Amino acid sequence: MNQLKYIVFCLLLLLACSSTDEKKYIPQNPNQGTIPVVETMLKKSFLALGDSYTIGQSVPEKERWSVLLNDLLASKYQITPHDIIAQTGWTTQELMQGISSRNLSQQYDMVSLLIGVNNQYRGQSLEKYRTEFRELLSISTKFAKNDAQKVMVLSIPDWGVSLAGRNNDRAKISREIDAFNEVAQQECKKVGIAFIDITSISRQNTDDSMFASDGLHFSGKMHQRWAMKVQSTAETILKISN
């Protein structure tokens, strides 16, 4: 009889191990059966706010820096949903209007903000930028479960190094970009939001492959470098998310 019970137990154990269920089982002693262990990817949500550099003007969707960032994080996190509110040509004011028109009620584990190049391009004042950027930081924090530690700001890339920008006063463009970035960094510091410098990356290794087909925006190759720069900050943010 004892031998029969042992055979039955072995058959049941064999069936459990060969099951097509995605659950993994750890064998215990014969009197306790088995305990299911489910391995799941941590699901996180991400909202990216900005302009052409966020939407990835003139590059395939899969080559946007925010999408590439998700790929870099894929071994630890499943980013769902990954929402983007961005449009080529938007200033800070237009981004605020774009956000308002979406009527989003979702809360996110991570929010990024990259905005200001069109304020500079249109010759808008630093004072106007500061006021509107400060409001965008507040909006971003609200989307990030009212936690400033879950928000990150990317600095404005320098379009003056682009193929199209080379026909302009590159030194002047760079000075103005630096001034706008200084305002953004100051405002981030006041509220404890991470500020990530990708401007210096945009100024490095600027061969033709770093630019999109329009000659003005950056290519997926440059977006990849931005994503790699952002990765460590993103991982820190997602670790504290709940």
Side-chain angles (χ1 to χ4, degrees), residues 138-193:
S138 177
I139 292 170
S140 299
T141 301
K142 289 177 182 177
F143 279 128
K145 303 179 181 178
N146 293 306
D147 187 347
Q149 294 185 77
K150 297 176 183 176
V151 180
M152 59 182 174
V153 168
L154 283 64
S155 67
I156 306 166
D158 188 347
W159 67 274
V161 302
S162 68
L163 303 177
R166 293 170 191 173
N167 297 322
N168 295 270
D169 187 340
R170 291 179 59 182
K172 178 175 181 290
I173 293 170
S174 292
R175 286 195 304 271
E176 292 178 354
I177 292 290
D178 287 343
F180 277 86
N181 279 328
E182 178 63 23
V183 168
Q185 187 169 17
Q186 290 171 359
E187 294 303 317
C188 286
K189 187 175 181 180
K190 290 177 184 178
V191 293
I193 287 176

Side-chain angles (χ1 to χ4, degrees), residues 209-229:
S209 69
M210 292 293 176
F211 302 102
S213 58
D214 62 10
L216 175 60
H217 294 91
F218 294 94
S219 68
K221 190 174 179 180
M222 180 66 80
H223 278 251
Q224 179 70 42
R225 296 189 176 196
W226 296 345
M228 292 172 66
K229 176 71 173 182

Side-chain angles (χ1 to χ4, degrees), residues 85-199:
I85 303 179
Q87 186 169 307
T88 299
W90 272 0
T91 61
T92 44
Q93 183 179 33
E94 290 161 340
L95 175 56
M96 285 191 288
Q97 293 169 345
I99 293 170
S100 179
S101 68
R102 286 283 296 271
N103 293 317
L104 280 182
S105 59
Q106 166 112 15
Q107 295 284 294
Y108 296 84
D109 295 303
M110 180 169 65
V111 177
S112 70
L113 177 63
L114 168 50
I115 192 70
V117 68
N118 296 296
N119 295 68
Q120 179 274 328
Y121 183 79
R122 297 186 198 178
Q124 295 184 0
S125 70
L126 289 174
E127 291 74 18
K128 176 179 172 62
Y129 177 69
R130 185 184 296 276
T131 299
E132 294 172 353
F133 185 80
R134 187 181 295 153
E135 178 63 22
L136 281 167
L137 290 182
S138 177
I139 292 170
S140 299
T141 301
K142 289 177 182 177
F143 279 128
K145 303 179 181 178
N146 293 306
D147 187 347
Q149 294 185 77
K150 297 176 183 176
V151 180
M152 59 182 174
V153 168
L154 283 64
S155 67
I156 306 166
D158 188 347
W159 67 274
V161 302
S162 68
L163 303 177
R166 293 170 191 173
N167 297 322
N168 295 270
D169 187 340
R170 291 179 59 182
K172 178 175 181 290
I173 293 170
S174 292
R175 286 195 304 271
E176 292 178 354
I177 292 290
D178 287 343
F180 277 86
N181 279 328
E182 178 63 23
V183 168
Q185 187 169 17
Q186 290 171 359
E187 294 303 317
C188 286
K189 187 175 181 180
K190 290 177 184 178
V191 293
I193 287 176
F195 182 85
I196 305 168
D197 173 27
I198 63 169
T199 310

Side-chain angles (χ1 to χ4, degrees), residues 56-107:
Q57 178 65 36
S58 299
V59 300
E61 180 177 343
K62 66 181 181 179
E63 294 181 12
R64 295 171 179 168
W65 74 263
S66 60
V67 175
L68 293 169
L69 175 63
N70 291 346
D71 293 340
L72 292 173
L73 298 170
S75 63
K76 296 181 180 178
Y77 304 103
Q78 180 184 358
I79 307 297
T80 176
H82 168 211
D83 288 335
I84 295 178
I85 303 179
Q87 186 169 307
T88 299
W90 272 0
T91 61
T92 44
Q93 183 179 33
E94 290 161 340
L95 175 56
M96 285 191 288
Q97 293 169 345
I99 293 170
S100 179
S101 68
R102 286 283 296 271
N103 293 317
L104 280 182
S105 59
Q106 166 112 15
Q107 295 284 294

